[in-house]
Structure formats: structure tokens, C-alpha cells
Amino acid sequence: MSRPVPADPPRLAPALRAALEAELDDAVALRHALHREPRLSGDEADSRDLVLAALADLGTPELIADTGAMLRLGAPPDPARPAVAVRAELDALPVVERTGLPFSATGDVAHVCGHDVHVAALVAVTRAVARAGPELLTAPLLAVFQPREEKAPSGAADVAGDPRFAAHGAGAMLGVHVQPELPRGTVSVRGGPVNASADEIEIEVHGRGGHGGYPHRTRDPVLALAQIVAGVHHIVSRRVDPMTAGVITLGQLEAGSAPNVVPETATARGTVRALDASRDELLAALREVVESTARAYGCSATLTVVPNEPAVVNDEALARTVARSLGSRRRDDPVDPGNGDAEPAADGLVLDTTFRSCGADDFSHYGEVLPSLMLFVGTAAAGATPGAGPGLHHPEFSPDDAMVGEVARALLAAVTAAGAALVPAEDPLTAAAPHA
């Protein structure tokens, strides 16, 4: 597990900070290239190759998880020197973009989840570390450009279970995600569950079809499914502790072929998410409601569950370490009337320690094999209500280019802190932060 840092957190080396700023223009250009030509999950080879071209002078990358890659900077693997790994996602979504950006995608695939920003930021961090010198960090850096975050089979699960990844001896895994539910200039770091588990479900109700004018001769699966939909949405409100979070969403309904025909079957598809509610208890309650409601209407029903991602659970010690390094002021701190807006957190970001959501991310798989930490960087414009504008996966969602720098600064500060936390206690480097 990660070790807590001393009371005074490590300071980011000025040379690293300067090197990062020098890389941002090229990183923004890379973001444009990735955004203009997005690739779906499993088809990221072109995006990966753009990334590798941007890193071509830094060393020999390793291909992983079919269309992913990773690159190590710093000392070779050594059990006494764990590396800090950082994940960025290569894939886009099957969405027609409506941002109007000059570099927008023109087909039916788009980067409307911010992955292009994450990748460009990690490239900037990787190049900055190489430019300034990996020795300025107290742990080697392993940059992981991961495929298939948006669709199973999970790219994170494949990377986390790959012996080539394990051979690098990472002691911590970091990830970052832009977040329109947070104000611009905010970075959120907290321990415990921060994203929910996500399982896909399909409910199929079987009845007796027939003529719409003779309903008594049928057993209507549409009516049964309608009651199931209503009942399912009471599970969380009446079967889950209100102090915990879970959600069931049915987003797709299918039934029938004509307006005057009662069909044989009706189908619903959706998702079940559990943040700190019990995943197993939610699914058990769902099955009970589905089957008993169908029976009440003279029908039968089957529930199919396709397990997807476990919850993202941030390592508590790693979260404390990184939060201590990232911010001098928390988002919920009172403003000092004698200091205007009060002193911002490190690198201009205000620290938040409260945010979490029922979104899901396959980053959770890394937490099953090593201490991991997901950070969230706010994108809501100044003066706007967070979450009121286009959100993640919306056709109009696209953070502005300055977010590449904000995400990269947060990542570099987190890498510095996490690396210092992994230094063995007896190592003399614990006595001095890297070139403060």
C-alpha cells in the first residue's frame, strides 16, 4: 500500500513545472488531431499511433491490450523502487458531435467524454518528465494509454491482469477525468468509492399475444412491463438505505409490431449502479420485483445481468497524500474577506474532497491489484451552475483547450506526491523533496 508522506508534502520541481508549460501547445495540437479522428473501443490503433508518434523520441513503448501502449521513464523495474503508473483512455463514443468546433469529428464517432483531453495531458506530462529529467521524480513514471474504457471487454481489466504491466512494479495507479459537475478550476480528490459499479440488465416479459379488441384473451406483456418499470424505480427509494447511493435506470423499451396487436413479448434494457449501496442486494431486489410483478399479470419474466465494472474505490492513504500536495484551499473553505477570493490551491486549482458520482469507469479494475486514485477536474464555466450545461456523453460536450493544461498540472502534482509516498522510509530521499 502507499505510504503517507511527511507533514510537509513534496513540492513540484520548478524545472518540471517549466517543462510542462513548454509542452502544452504541442499537447493541444495532439488533442485536436485525436478529436478530429476519433476511434471506437477496440479500434484505437490509429489514436495510439498518434500518441506514439508524439512520444517517439522518448524511448521504446510496449504495446498492451491489443490497441494500447505504455511507456516507462526513469529507472528500470526494481522491487525497492515502485513506479507510479498513470492511465489515459484512447477510445471515443458512437455519437454524432454537435460542438461546432473547427476540429470537430464529422462522422458518427466523437470524443464527447473528454478522453482526448486526458490523453493529451498525459502526453504533456510524459514529455515534461523526459525533458526535465526523470530523476526529478522520486519514482519512475509509467504512462499507460489504455483502450476500451467505454465498452467491454474492459481495457483496464486487460492491462491490470497483464504480466507485462505487473513487471513494471507499479506501486500506485493514477487516473483523471474532466467533470462538468464541478466548477472550473476545481480538482477533486477523496478516498473511498467515487464512481459506482455498473451492470447492464435486460428484462424480457413473456405473455400471450392476441387482438387488441379482445384483451381478456391475452396476457399483456406490455402492461406487465409497464408495472415492472414503475416498480423497479421504487427499489432504491424503499429497499436501499437512504444514506447510501445506488441507481437503476431503464433506458430502452421494446414491444409490439402494430397498434392493435398485443405482442407475445416486451423487453426493457438498462443499468444498475451501486456506489456504496450493496450491488448484490440491488440485483436481488430487482429480480424479485421483475418476476413477481410479471406473475401478477399472468406473465413470466426473465432478468439477464451482464456484469460490467466494479465501483471505483480510491485508496484512502493515496488520496490523503495527493490531496495534501494539491491544495492549500478547499472548495468549501470560507473566503477570507481580507484576501479576495482566498489563496488558490497548487497550480491554480481549488481542492474539493466531497465529489463522487454514480458514473462508472473501468479504472476500478486497477484498484483490485494496486492502490489507485481517480482525480476529477472541473469544467463548468465561471458563473455557470455545475451540471447545467452539456454533460459527459452529450453531443455538445467538449472542454476547451485550456483544460489540457489544467488536467496536466493536476496529474503532474499527483505523480510527484504519489512517487514521494512510495519511497521506502529508510531511503535518504525521504528527507528531501525533489529540487523544491
Side-chain angles (χ1 to χ4, degrees), residues 150 195-201 236 240 244-249 270-279 282-283 286 308-309 311 357-361 393:
E150 296 288 0
N195 270 165
S197 63
D199 298 306
E200 294 182 12
I201 57 171
V236 171
V240 174
T244 63
V247 63
I248 301 174
T249 297
T271 181
V272 177
R273 295 167 184 255
L275 188 59
D276 39 21
S278 168
R279 185 182 189 180
L282 271 176
L283 291 172
L286 176 65
N308 201 338
E309 314 300 348
S357 83
C358 281
D361 196 300
H393 295 201

Side-chain angles (χ1 to χ4, degrees), residues 117 121 178-179 184-185 377-379 399-408:
V117 173
V178 293
Q179 180 49 257
R184 185 67 177 267
V377 181
T379 67
D400 64 52
D401 286 340
M403 285 302 305
V404 174
E406 293 189 27
V407 170

Side-chain angles (χ1 to χ4, degrees), residues 203-206 221-222 225 254-256 263-268:
I203 301 166
E204 188 170 77
V205 181
H206 307 271
V222 176
L225 181 61
E254 292 180 359
E264 294 281 344
T265 62
T267 303

Side-chain angles (χ1 to χ4, degrees), residues 31-125:
R31 185 264 172 121
H32 290 184
L34 291 166
H35 194 99
R36 190 179 293 113
E37 297 290 341
R39 295 293 183 265
L40 289 174
S41 305
D43 187 36
E44 303 95 339
D46 291 342
S47 297
R48 176 201 63 201
D49 291 346
L50 280 173
V51 170
L52 295 183
L55 302 173
D57 57 329
L58 303 189
T60 303
E62 298 174 76
L63 302 185
I64 195 167
D66 299 324
T67 52
M70 54 187 182
L71 180 67
R72 183 187 182 98
L73 296 179
D78 178 350
R81 289 283 179 188
V84 174
V86 185
R87 188 284 303 260
E89 321 94 303
L90 292 164
D91 55 342
L93 287 157
V95 172
V96 177
E97 182 173 349
R98 298 203 309 262
T99 63
L101 293 169
F103 52 89
S104 64
T106 56
D108 56 0
V109 180
H111 273 294
V112 290
C113 197
H115 293 184
D116 53 331
V117 173
H118 307 162
V119 170
L122 180 53
V123 166
V125 168

